[in-house]
Amino acid sequence: MPLTMTDVDRFEAARPRLEAIAYRMLGSSAEAEDLVQETYLRWQAADVERIEVPEAWLTKVLTNLCLNQLTSARARRETYVGQWLPEPLLEGDPMLGPADTAEQRESVSYAVLTLMERLSPNERAVYVLKEAFAYGHREIAEILDVSEAASQQTFSRAKKHIAEGKARTEISEAAAKRIVEEFLAAATSGETEPLVKLLTSDAIAVGDGGGKIPAKATPFEGAIAVAKFLRGMFKPAESKRRMLGGGTPEVYATTANGSPALVIVVDGRVFGVMCLERSDEGIVAVRSQVNPDKLQRATELWATADRGEPLFLADW
């Protein structure tokens, strides 16, 4: 039977939550949108009148689609050029999903999305459903067709893996802006010492260019190596001007996935997003997304809001 308007409206009401689940599981807005649309097609083909709890049915269908996608994504990432990083979502993006609790905010942070790459598909699904969307283990067990005990054990393993690599300290939006301003001042000073003072001794810097924008294949490690890399990144160079097409880069302070971030904009297009992971001791990681395929949504969102004046106009 064709869907009624009530059935369509019910799906559309669930769409934002489904997109937020899919994004957390996949780290890609485009893939999240595709799988939510596939979920709609399955909803359209189902005998909706026999579905007792539509929200649970939709979540189960979407989660299993994401699990299949994650399995194939692992094979694709083995041939990915350079480092793979999640797609950053800028402040105000509805796909970030719920942010009422510390657990929800943390589950979509750039640091945790990166750490979730260590998890198996099932671990990732359980972690996202439990930590970000407060599903109980009985509900998760029904979604994944496992026992409640297995869901609990999987969540415990996932949370342990995340905790082992996590160094993030939750900060306010105002504090995030101050961190970015301080970082940018140090990065553009032309010296390494101001940057070294902001970084932890074991800090890393990693970038994702997807083979389309130059990015080092292995991370820089240690405060001095990271500081030298960042100092060089903000120095003028003819190669940078050519890569940017001759436009003048504007650097803004914002948040991405709730973390302090620099956004580099060239002629209205988001060219790069640099996310700063911070602990009580300082900045522990600088993760830069410059793959243009992963910045299309950021560019679209950037065009819809007044971001104020840039902090810095780069003479690259």
Side-chain angles (χ1 to χ4, degrees), residues 36-52:
V36 170
Q37 190 58 28
E38 177 62 29
T39 303
Y40 175 75
L41 295 176
R42 298 195 180 196
W43 172 251
Q44 197 174 40
D47 186 353
V48 173
E49 289 185 358
R50 300 185 62 181
I51 298 174
E52 295 182 6

Side-chain angles (χ1 to χ4, degrees), residues 222-294:
I224 294 176
V226 171
K228 287 180 178 179
F229 160 68
L230 292 170
R231 182 191 63 186
M233 178 180 288
F234 284 90
K235 276 187 174 180
E238 183 59 33
S239 59
K240 294 176 188 173
R241 295 188 186 96
R242 289 197 300 269
M243 184 174 60
L244 295 169
T248 300
E250 301 172 339
V251 183
Y252 295 82
T254 186
T255 61
N257 298 73
S259 303
L262 286 78
V263 177
I264 302 166
V265 180
V266 181
D267 295 332
R269 177 175 64 90
V270 174
F271 179 82
V273 178
M274 182 180 287
C275 299
L276 309 178
E277 181 186 352
R278 191 176 183 278
S279 71
D280 293 334
E281 289 73 40
I283 295 171
V284 300
V286 180
R287 298 184 177 94
S288 302
Q289 183 56 260
V290 291
N291 182 345
D293 294 342
K294 298 183 182 182

Side-chain angles (χ1 to χ4, degrees), residues 105-138:
R105 292 189 292 274
E106 183 177 83
S107 69
V108 80
S109 72
Y110 207 61
V112 168
L113 285 180
T114 303
L115 287 169
M116 279 202 281
E117 288 297 303
R118 304 179 180 182
L119 306 183
S120 70
N122 265 32
E123 287 172 342
R124 191 159 182 161
V126 173
Y127 182 84
V128 167
L129 292 172
K130 182 75 172 67
E131 200 78 341
F133 295 90
Y135 279 83
H137 284 294
R138 180 175 297 177

Side-chain angles (χ1 to χ4, degrees), residues 119-185:
L119 306 183
S120 70
N122 265 32
E123 287 172 342
R124 191 159 182 161
V126 173
Y127 182 84
V128 167
L129 292 172
K130 182 75 172 67
E131 200 78 341
F133 295 90
Y135 279 83
H137 284 294
R138 180 175 297 177
E139 296 171 291
I140 296 172
E142 292 175 356
I143 290 169
L144 297 178
D145 293 324
V146 298
S147 68
E148 192 171 343
S151 174
Q152 292 170 338
Q153 292 168 0
T154 301
F155 178 70
S156 179
R157 287 198 306 272
K159 197 158 187 178
K160 182 180 179 182
H161 287 315
I162 295 294
E164 286 172 352
K166 186 178 62 181
R168 183 174 180 269
T169 300
E170 190 167 10
I171 57 175
S172 67
E173 186 178 324
K177 185 175 181 180
R178 288 195 300 272
I179 290 168
V180 173
E181 289 173 344
E182 187 178 19
F183 174 84
L184 185 60

Side-chain angles (χ1 to χ4, degrees), residues 184-198:
L184 185 60
T188 57
S189 68
E191 301 176 358
T192 57
E193 188 58 31
L195 280 165
V196 171
K197 289 180 179 179
L198 295 180

Side-chain angles (χ1 to χ4, degrees), residues 58-125:
L58 292 170
T59 303
K60 182 181 179 74
V61 170
L62 175 72
T63 300
N64 282 285
L65 288 171
C66 287
L67 289 174
N68 291 337
Q69 185 80 352
L70 284 170
T71 300
S72 63
R74 288 192 167 214
R76 291 199 309 274
R77 286 172 194 169
E78 289 179 2
T79 60
Y80 191 82
V81 179
Q83 295 284 323
W84 187 95
L85 290 176
E87 175 185 346
L89 296 185
L90 300 182
E91 173 191 353
D93 194 316
M95 198 177 280
L96 288 168
D100 298 326
T101 67
E103 290 78 12
Q104 289 172 335
R105 292 189 292 274
E106 183 177 83
S107 69
V108 80
S109 72
Y110 207 61
V112 168
L113 285 180
T114 303
L115 287 169
M116 279 202 281
E117 288 297 303
R118 304 179 180 182
L119 306 183
S120 70
N122 265 32
E123 287 172 342
R124 191 159 182 161

Side-chain angles (χ1 to χ4, degrees), residues 2 7 28 53 59 67 111 129-130 174-175 184-185 187 199 204 216 301 305:
D7 297 330
S28 163
V53 186
T59 303
L67 289 174
L129 292 172
K130 182 75 172 67
L184 185 60
L199 300 166
I204 65 165
K216 190 169 181 285
L301 184 65

